[in-house]
């Protein structure tokens, strides 16, 4: 077994160490979206500075750059074969570019996915192999952790996912675990192609936050780990409120919290203007509206303010964002549509919870954004099953806000069927942790939690009536 340095781009900073086995040099191959349906980014790692990408469209080979390359002029619904050669190692992959379905693309969302206890991995790989899903979004906290064991954990995680993400786009957002290497280096280097392509085209020049369209959905990735500025909109207290600010500034894409909000508003303005073509706007990141504090280990576990979500809440409400997908809590939570807190303080309840627009699994013409937490695909950390036992044990700010809660393992699949109907299906892949068997038995939940967001009363401009 030989050891070599893993590099995402020739001459760039090494991500970590790869164990080269059975002569295999090329590893961790994964695709991502670009700003056009006729192009995809492919990234890989290899312990050599001599790599070449060839891809074939109708028997017309094209040559790309090394480590991170764009394959363009790809036909819709067409099969693309691509070959990566690094030294004496050659590997061949294929994928269907922008598969066309009557009911739209099927996008998997999950967060907090570890290499140990990866309960959902087998199901995900089976779905990808059967072309039953079209892309994967991971909303932060990868591998547990990318950096561990000199990057061997991160490398193994990416290699395990490779059968999925070498054939389907893989879109990331950072979580708090990505900050643990001191500068988000593992995250930014492994997804350099996202920053250089979709980040550039969406005007963020970053892989911390960016946006792109897939069919009828405008996706917006946000970074909840640098935090907001208290009173940003009112220009009051400019105190930083999240502990990963310094790590963000040490990254290759440093930014101030207000820069992200300014970018987000500009992006939402463009998306709103295009809503007659792309009607659905979905944000995703690591944390949601109710995760703005954590126990202070040095002060009797009193609540300590962390992520300030009020800036995101204000913009999501103003520009009528339909759905927020996140993780961080290792459970499944589906909330009623609501307007989050206006003040950044511990245990702040929502300004309004909108229940009258929800009838069973139908969310019809709701005015506020719906939040879904899908943070339980499996990892080695204990889940927070207690939050699903009953509202007498949950934090006071979320009492009466959840339409559904499950402590079991699983992930969700998103599907914009048409301009008025968007489907979300959460699929359980395993029971809750046996370490929590002392908890009262949860009410039995169905294997699939399915909801429909329906907006059939939009104006001609695409806004809600």
């Amino acid at each position: 077994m030989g050891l070599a340095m893993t590099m995402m781009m020739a001459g760039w900073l090494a991500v970590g160490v790869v164990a080269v086995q059975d002569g295999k040099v090329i590893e961790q191959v994964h695709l991502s979206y670009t700003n056009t349906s006729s192009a995809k980014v492919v990234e890989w790692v290899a312990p050599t500075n001599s790599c070449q990408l060839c891809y074939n469209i109708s028997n017309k080979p094209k040559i790309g750059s090394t480590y991170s390359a764009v394959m363009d002029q790809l036909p819709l619904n067409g099969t693309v074969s691509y070959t990566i050669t690094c030294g004496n190692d050659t590997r061949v992959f294929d994928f269907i570019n922008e598969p066309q379905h009557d009911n739209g693309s099927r996008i998997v969302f999950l967060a907090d996915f570890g290499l140990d206890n990866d309960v959902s991995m087998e199901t995900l790989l089976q779905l990808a192999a059967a072309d039953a899903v079209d892309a994967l979004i991971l909303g932060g906290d990868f591998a547990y952790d990318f950096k561990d064991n000199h990057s061997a954990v991160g490398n193994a995680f990416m290699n395990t996912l490779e059968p999925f993400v070498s054939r389907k786009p893989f879109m990331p957002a950072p979580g708090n675990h990505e900050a643990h290497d001191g500068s988000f280096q593992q995250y930014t280097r492994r997804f350099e192609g996202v920053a250089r392509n979709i980040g550039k085209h969406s005007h963020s020049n970053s892989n911390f936050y960016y946006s792109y369209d897939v069919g009828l959905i405008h996706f917006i990735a946000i970074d909840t780990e640098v935090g907001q500025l208290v009173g940003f909109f009112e220009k009051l207290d400019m105190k930083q409120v999240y502990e990963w600010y310094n790590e963000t500034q040490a990254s290759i894409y440093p930014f101030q919290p207000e820069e992200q909000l300014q970018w987000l508003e500009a992006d939402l303005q463009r998306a709103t203007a295009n809503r007659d073509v792309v009607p659905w706007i979905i944000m995703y990141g690591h944390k949601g509206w109710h995760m703005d504090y954590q126990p202070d280990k040095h002060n009797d576990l009193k609540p300590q303010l962390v992520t300030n979500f009020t800036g995101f809440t204000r913009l999501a409400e103003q520009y009528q964002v339909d759905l927020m997908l996140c993780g961080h809590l290792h459970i499944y939570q589906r909330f009623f549509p609501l307007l989050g807190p206006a003040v950044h303080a511990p245990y702040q309840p929502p300004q309004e919870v909108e229940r009258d627009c929800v009838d069973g699994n139908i969310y019809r013409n709701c005015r506020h954004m719906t939040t879904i937490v899908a943070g339980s695909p499996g990892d080695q950390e204990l889940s927070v099953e207690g939050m699903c036992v009953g509202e007498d044990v949950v934090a006071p700010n979320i009492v009466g806000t959840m339409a559904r809660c499950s402590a079991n393992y699983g992930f969700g699949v998103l599907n914009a069927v048409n301009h008025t109907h968007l489907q979300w299906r959460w699929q359980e892949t395993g029971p809750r942790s046996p370490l929590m068997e002392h908890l009262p038995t949860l009410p039995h939940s169905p294997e699939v939690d399915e909801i429909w967001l329906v907006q059939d009363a939009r104006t001609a401009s695409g806004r809600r009536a």
Side-chain angles (χ1 to χ4, degrees), residues 69-84:
V70 178
M71 299 179 286
D72 61 8
Q73 302 180 43
L74 308 182
L76 294 183
N77 210 39
T79 299
V80 178
S81 175
Y82 66 101
T83 301
I84 301 173

Side-chain angles (χ1 to χ4, degrees), residues 33 193-207 209-211 263:
Y33 286 113
V194 172
R196 289 182 165 231
N197 291 275
I198 203 64
K200 176 182 177 181
H201 290 293
S202 62
H203 310 290
S204 71
N205 294 303
S206 177
N207 49 24
Y209 56 95
Y210 56 90
S211 69
W263 170 86

Side-chain angles (χ1 to χ4, degrees), residues 132-153:
V133 293
D134 301 310
L136 172 62
I137 297 173
L138 206 163
D141 284 9
F142 298 71
Y144 283 77
D145 283 349
F146 271 152
K147 68 175 181 58
D148 286 358
N149 193 19
H150 304 288
S151 302
V153 171

Side-chain angles (χ1 to χ4, degrees), residues 277-327:
V277 178
V278 183
W280 299 99
I281 300 178
I282 297 176
M283 295 199 312
Y284 63 86
H286 190 55
K287 296 184 176 73
W289 68 272
H290 57 307
M291 305 176 199
D292 57 355
Y293 61 90
Q294 63 187 16
D296 187 345
K297 299 177 182 178
H298 306 292
N299 190 19
D300 298 325
L301 297 181
K302 293 179 180 178
Q304 175 187 22
L305 289 174
V306 286
T307 298
N308 182 351
F309 210 80
T310 58
F312 294 130
T313 293
R314 188 83 163 257
L315 291 175
E317 181 73 8
Q318 180 178 350
Y319 293 98
Q320 300 183 350
V321 174
D322 296 292
L323 182 64
M324 173 69 194
L325 300 174
C326 58

